[in-house]
Amino acid sequence: LREPFGGAESRSHTDGGAGRNIATITIKSDDERAGVIDNISALMSINLDHVNIARGSYAEQFADAVEFDCNASPIFWLLQAGSLPWKIVLAFVPPARFCGGYPCFLVALVAIGLLTALIGDLADQFGCTVGMPSSITAITLVAMGTSLPDTFASKTAAINEVHADASIGNITGSNSVNVFLGLGLPWAAAAIYWTLYASENEAEWRARYSGESWYTPDTPVGFAVPSGDLGFSVAVFSVLAVLCLGLICLRRAVLGYELGGEPVSKYGLSALFISFWCIYIAASIGKTNGYF
């Protein structure tokens, strides 16, 4: 305070002397409140620095989704335009820095599931439009549409990882999820439904399955899915899968690695595995059409 008036005066023995008064203000942190915030952050595993970085990463995801290279080729522009809606949708997936990556994993899992279901339905509708039998549609269009994401994920893992475990494990793990969960959960839900409501739908159920070879008048009502040519397709797939895994193990024993290697070795094995898929498709289609 300088030049006081209205009866106020500065005293020489105070801080500032006779001409002015100096007030010293000390700002102290609220240790109790700061402790509460730190404890909450620790309990929720929140790193405030990571949150700030992740907030910027979230914005960058949308910027990267709509970013185009002005000097790119027309094909690149066409691909970018086709993938733009999907890139914008997937930009909503939270960055991996949020909450230990759990929101990123869960949201990405839901998004992949929805996109896979959409691709599967579109492939099924296309097969129906062109008159393709449902069994052939399932092992060709639907299978490719739902499995290509796994293929690209395995390719990325094979390039970026030091070992082949992630690439091969992704394929085997994906197939185990498809078989055990993809079949097990719907079958379990259907079995529970028919256990609870079998008596209400008995007449309709018997009318539907009365022409099947396994049906008898005393067959109990329950969840039933006739196999058709499934047994043959599964047998062919199992034989080819054993050969595939056997060749991978043989490469480990002889060459010391599963993937890559000399051009003749890696390209030859790739062509062989592709031929396995072609054999499986051709055998399944031939069985469905009654060629053998």
Side-chain angles (χ1 to χ4, degrees), residues 22 34 79 82 90 110 114 146 161 166 176 181 200 209 230 288:
I22 297 177
L79 294 175
L90 294 178
V110 172
L114 293 175
T146 56
E161 296 293 332
S176 66
L181 291 182
E200 300 178 9
Y209 296 111
L230 178 63
T288 301

Side-chain angles (χ1 to χ4, degrees), residues 200-214:
E200 300 178 9
N201 302 280
E202 181 173 359
E204 179 184 354
W205 187 91
R206 294 193 180 279
R208 179 177 182 179
Y209 296 111
S210 59
E212 297 290 340
S213 59
W214 49 266

Side-chain angles (χ1 to χ4, degrees), residues 1-22:
L1 297 177
R2 299 172 180 269
E3 300 178 358
F5 60 90
E9 60 180 12
S10 299
R11 298 184 179 181
S12 57
H13 64 277
T14 60
D15 190 12
R20 61 180 178 176
N21 282 341
I22 297 177

Side-chain angles (χ1 to χ4, degrees), residues 112 115-116 119-120 138-155 170-171 174-175 178 237 277:
I112 292 173
L115 291 177
T116 302
I119 293 172
I139 64 174
T140 54
L141 301 178
V142 176
M144 290 184 64
T146 56
S147 299
L148 282 178
D150 295 330
T151 304
F152 292 127
S154 294
K155 173 184 177 295
N170 176 70
I171 294 297
S174 175
N175 280 278
N178 292 338
F237 170 79
W277 181 75

Side-chain angles (χ1 to χ4, degrees), residues 42-165:
L43 290 173
M44 298 180 65
S45 299
I46 296 176
N47 187 314
L48 296 181
D49 292 333
H50 283 181
V51 170
N52 292 330
I53 296 175
R55 189 185 308 161
S57 300
Y58 218 153
E60 290 176 2
Q61 290 180 180
F62 290 93
D64 293 339
V66 298
E67 184 178 0
F68 286 85
D69 185 2
C70 298
N71 299 320
S73 63
I75 296 179
F76 178 82
W77 275 86
L78 182 63
L79 294 175
Q80 283 285 75
S83 62
L84 180 61
W86 310 108
K87 293 169 69 175
I88 293 177
V89 170
L90 294 178
F92 285 95
V93 176
R97 290 182 178 271
F98 274 133
C99 300
Y102 291 104
C104 176
F105 174 76
L106 294 176
V107 175
L109 190 64
V110 172
I112 292 173
L114 293 175
L115 291 177
T116 302
L118 177 62
I119 293 172
D121 287 343
L122 291 176
D124 195 19
Q125 292 296 325
F126 176 77
C128 181
T129 302
V130 300
M132 186 180 297
S134 59
S135 58
I136 298 178
T137 302
I139 64 174
T140 54
L141 301 178
V142 176
M144 290 184 64
T146 56
S147 299
L148 282 178
D150 295 330
T151 304
F152 292 127
S154 294
K155 173 184 177 295
T156 302
I159 294 175
N160 296 332
E161 296 293 332
V162 178
H163 304 288
D165 297 21

